[in-house]
Amino acid sequence: MDFKKSKALTFGMELELQLVDENTGQLSPCSAELWRELEVLPEHERFSLEATLSTMEVTSSIHEDADALEAETRENVLTLKKIARRQGADLRGGGTHILQFWNEREFTETDRAAELQAKYGFLPKRFSTYGMHVHIGVPGKEEAIQLANVLQSLCPLFIALSAASPFQQGVDTGFCSARPLEPLVYPYGGPMPRTTSWAEFETIAQEIFDSGLAKSLKDIYWDVRPKPEFGTVEVRVFDTPLSVRKAVALASFTRACSALALNGQLGYAPIAIPYNTERVSRFMACRDGMDARLFNPAVCEWMPARQWLAMLVERIEAHPTCDADMRKIRSLHQQVENEQDSDTMRETWGNILNASPSMANWAPGPLEYAVNSREHCARLLA
């Protein structure tokens, strides 16, 4: 498996955004119409269709500091927003939409969507959620394995930090982040297996390819995975945040942790971790977000998520990647002390219910409003 070398610690991100009807707030299957306008733009490579029609992905180019990443992402989101508005649609953040019924989703007319449907039936519709992916550049295969192992161990904290999917199928799930539970139903979804070398990783990947369900790493829905064609390691567990600002801050935090890992300043204790401990920690992050107690594999202890974050930020402060990134990380640290995107989404829905007494006995079904009100939508560009 060839691996394209990249400059260490360059980074970029992908944002999967909700497309909604501007008047009702419900998901709108309009990505094909938007794509017809996007594909003629000089920057069309920054946008891509997803498996179902109520999603559009915005992809950054490669960057070396957070300010440049934010400026480009903001500009691309604004471009998409303007085109969507001309079609009577708008954009929303968040990992799920409250009225996201899988059987109402429509497949995009692409070869990729058809392939997924043939392999997995209804699952791609069910997995039509909204995530953020962060790519970190690495110079070679062995560095990719070293970094992927460490980033996988951090995934419970990543999930807690980005938790923005409290709703599924018209109800409050009781979880802060329900979206990362979805890939667990796939045969090759969830945590990436820990490996000691690229050769061992290739053996595992080939065993998966031999099953016929996957023909490349793109078909494997691990939380973290190497991307040999890009020369990166990709972190996939983040919910799409409610603002570009927070998205960039999460990407900056991921890069800073990657710098510690590649420099040997962050790892995990070289002892056997109790069976399923990290999976349980992942579950707790989904359920409780930043209020969770998580397992920190670097010290093999359960601790509050905010304590784990504070320990990492302190270490990053001593070894910052660059000033722009550090500003974003400090802002993220301050924000999550008291605020979670999942709380904002619940509060927004509560406000809608309070403003519409007739909805007090609402049950899943057709509805004129969804959780992400127009006011909430504005947060996407905050």
Side-chain angles (χ1 to χ4, degrees), residues 115-127:
E115 179 185 0
L116 291 174
Q117 184 180 15
K119 284 183 179 180
Y120 298 118
F122 78 100
L123 291 182
K125 286 188 176 182
R126 174 174 161 169
F127 193 31

Side-chain angles (χ1 to χ4, degrees), residues 96-305:
T96 58
H97 189 289
I98 193 171
L99 296 184
Q100 191 168 316
F101 299 99
W102 71 263
N103 57 313
E104 296 178 354
R105 304 282 61 79
E106 299 177 35
F107 280 112
T108 308
E109 293 185 2
T110 62
D111 292 342
R112 175 65 175 168
E115 179 185 0
L116 291 174
Q117 184 180 15
K119 284 183 179 180
Y120 298 118
F122 78 100
L123 291 182
K125 286 188 176 182
R126 174 174 161 169
F127 193 31
S128 181
T129 55
Y130 303 87
M132 166 183 159
H133 305 159
V134 177
H135 288 260
I136 305 295
V138 288
K141 300 175 179 179
E142 299 307 327
E143 291 90 346
I145 293 302
Q146 175 191 354
L147 179 57
N149 284 332
V150 175
L151 292 178
Q152 179 62 63
S153 75
L154 293 173
C155 276
L157 184 58
F158 291 155
I159 290 170
L161 282 167
S162 66
S165 52
F167 302 111
Q168 285 274 27
Q169 304 290 319
V171 297
D172 190 326
T173 64
F175 282 64
C176 293
S177 183
R179 189 196 63 85
L181 301 175
E182 291 298 317
L184 299 180
V185 304
Y186 283 87
Y188 308 117
M192 172 185 158
R194 189 167 291 163
T195 58
T196 58
S197 67
W198 184 261
E200 183 183 358
F201 173 82
E202 281 191 309
T203 297
I204 292 173
Q206 189 58 53
E207 290 171 351
I208 294 173
F209 299 154
D210 289 345
S211 73
L213 275 176
K215 59 184 181 182
S216 72
L217 294 177
K218 184 177 182 179
D219 299 324
I220 300 174
Y221 301 126
W222 286 331
D223 297 343
V224 174
R225 65 187 182 192
K227 292 288 285 184
E229 67 269 35
F230 296 154
T232 65
V233 173
E234 178 187 17
V235 180
R236 301 170 45 80
V237 293
F238 298 108
D239 285 346
T240 294
L242 300 187
S243 71
V244 169
R245 181 183 295 114
K246 184 171 182 180
V248 173
L250 288 167
S252 300
F253 179 66
T254 306
R255 183 164 85 128
C257 290
S258 300
L260 294 176
L262 290 176
N263 292 329
Q265 296 158 332
L266 180 64
Y268 42 86
I271 63 174
I273 295 172
Y275 175 72
N276 246 7
T277 295
E278 291 182 293
R279 280 185 173 267
V280 172
S281 183
R282 186 186 190 280
F283 173 88
M284 301 296 276
C286 289
R287 192 187 70 182
D288 299 330
M290 287 303 291
D291 294 327
R293 286 185 72 250
L294 303 176
F295 185 77
N296 180 346
V299 295
C300 284
E301 291 180 12
W302 288 91
M303 63 179 58

